[in-house]
Amino acid sequence: MRLSKVAMKRLVLLVLAIACLVPAMPAAAAPDRPSRAQALAALKRTDADERRRGALGLAIVGRMEDAPTLIIALRDTDERVRVVAEQALWAVWSRSGDARVDELFARGVAQMGEQRLPEAIATFTRVIELKPDFAEGWNKRATAYFLAGEFRRSLKDCGEVVKRNPQHFGVLSGYGQIYLELDQPEKALEYFRRALEVNPNLEGVQGLAERLDSMIVRRRQRSI
């Protein structure tokens, strides 16, 4: 028994949609562009609105080294802070530090959103060639491979992401989706749980994990 492919594809496309929308956040907030130091300081304040502004600030000016701070914010007591921290992580992860690579990356995301998967794969391959240490280039190509049904290639790229960004909850949940397609439910559940350990706010992943756990229990009971 396997979970619905429609449910899995929906989850992938939801994650992709978030990743596509996040880079637009900085432009909307540009008039109030904070310094990185201000954003980090705001995230430590007791006022939830200040912490939310701090997380939004890091979406605009944050660096990869700020990701651990944002991951901590995924467990903030205020839901709004958690939501913005997750969006900020996608924004930080999606910046390579190279204008040419960022332009190619945005093109690939657009191609993938339009289901032009061969073109997207080619574009992300070029991103990887130019900036092999840019984890999100590997992650987006892994997503494109998954959507194209090339699961083994997707798995290989997921491994490259984890080498560079071990707390990438998107790729951890991606592993789970791939292992579901490969009919390895126990391994899928392991990766869904790992994703939730990093980001407990992934409602879609939580729902899949719960259903998968119940399915595995029933399968074991029938085998006794």
Side-chain angles (χ1 to χ4, degrees):
M1 177 180 179
R2 297 167 69 174
L3 293 182
S4 163
K5 289 185 180 181
V6 172
M8 287 189 291
K9 291 290 177 65
R10 240 178 231 161
L11 180 58
V12 174
L13 291 172
L14 174 61
V15 171
L16 176 59
I18 292 170
C20 290
L21 289 171
V22 165
M25 293 172 56
D32 300 318
R33 182 184 182 90
S35 72
R36 180 168 167 259
Q38 288 172 330
L40 288 166
L43 258 180
K44 297 178 181 177
R45 293 189 181 138
T46 56
D47 182 76
D49 285 337
E50 286 294 321
R51 296 198 304 277
R52 182 177 58 81
R53 280 192 281 272
L56 180 58
L58 288 180
I60 302 167
V61 297
R63 304 172 185 167
M64 272 299 295
E65 54 262 43
D66 300 322
T69 300
L70 288 166
I71 285 171
I72 291 171
L74 294 173
R75 287 176 165 77
D76 195 275
T77 55
D78 188 276
E79 182 182 5
R80 297 171 304 161
V81 176
R82 297 195 299 270
V83 168
V84 176
E86 182 176 323
Q87 294 172 335
L89 274 165
W90 282 110
V92 167
W93 288 342
S94 297
R95 286 196 286 267
S96 73
D98 182 310
R100 181 186 177 194
V101 171
D102 287 345
E103 183 181 350
L104 277 171
F105 179 82
R107 184 188 307 167
V109 169
Q111 290 166 339
M112 187 158 55
E114 296 165 0
Q115 294 292 297
R116 293 157 56 196
L117 299 177
E119 294 172 61
I121 289 167
T123 300
F124 292 129
T125 297
R126 184 59 181 149
V127 167
I128 290 165
E129 289 169 350
L130 291 170
K131 197 87 170 179
D133 289 334
F134 179 40
E136 201 57 27
W138 293 96
N139 183 51
K140 288 298 186 288
R141 193 174 73 171
T143 304
Y145 276 141
F146 176 87
L147 293 171
E150 297 190 46
F151 304 126
R152 295 294 177 185
R153 287 185 172 181
S154 185
L155 270 181
K156 186 176 179 181
D157 278 4
C158 286
E160 296 294 337
V161 180
V162 171
K163 286 179 190 175
R164 295 161 175 80
N165 187 357
Q167 291 188 297
H168 195 304
F169 53 81
V171 81
L172 292 172
S173 63
Y175 263 121
Q177 294 150 12
I178 296 166
Y179 282 121
L180 278 178
E181 288 286 354
L182 297 175
D183 200 20
Q184 299 183 46
E186 289 84 0
K187 208 156 188 177
L189 181 57
E190 173 194 339
Y191 277 100
F192 285 145
R193 286 173 171 166
R194 284 177 61 178
L196 290 165
E197 284 174 9
V198 179
N199 184 1
N201 309 297
L202 301 171
E203 293 181 3
V205 175
Q206 182 66 53
L208 278 173
E210 289 171 359
R211 293 196 296 276
L212 188 55
D213 190 35
S214 298
M215 184 199 79
I216 292 169
V217 169
R218 290 195 302 271
R219 179 182 288 181
R220 287 173 179 166
Q221 287 172 342
R222 287 196 300 270
S223 66
I224 295 174

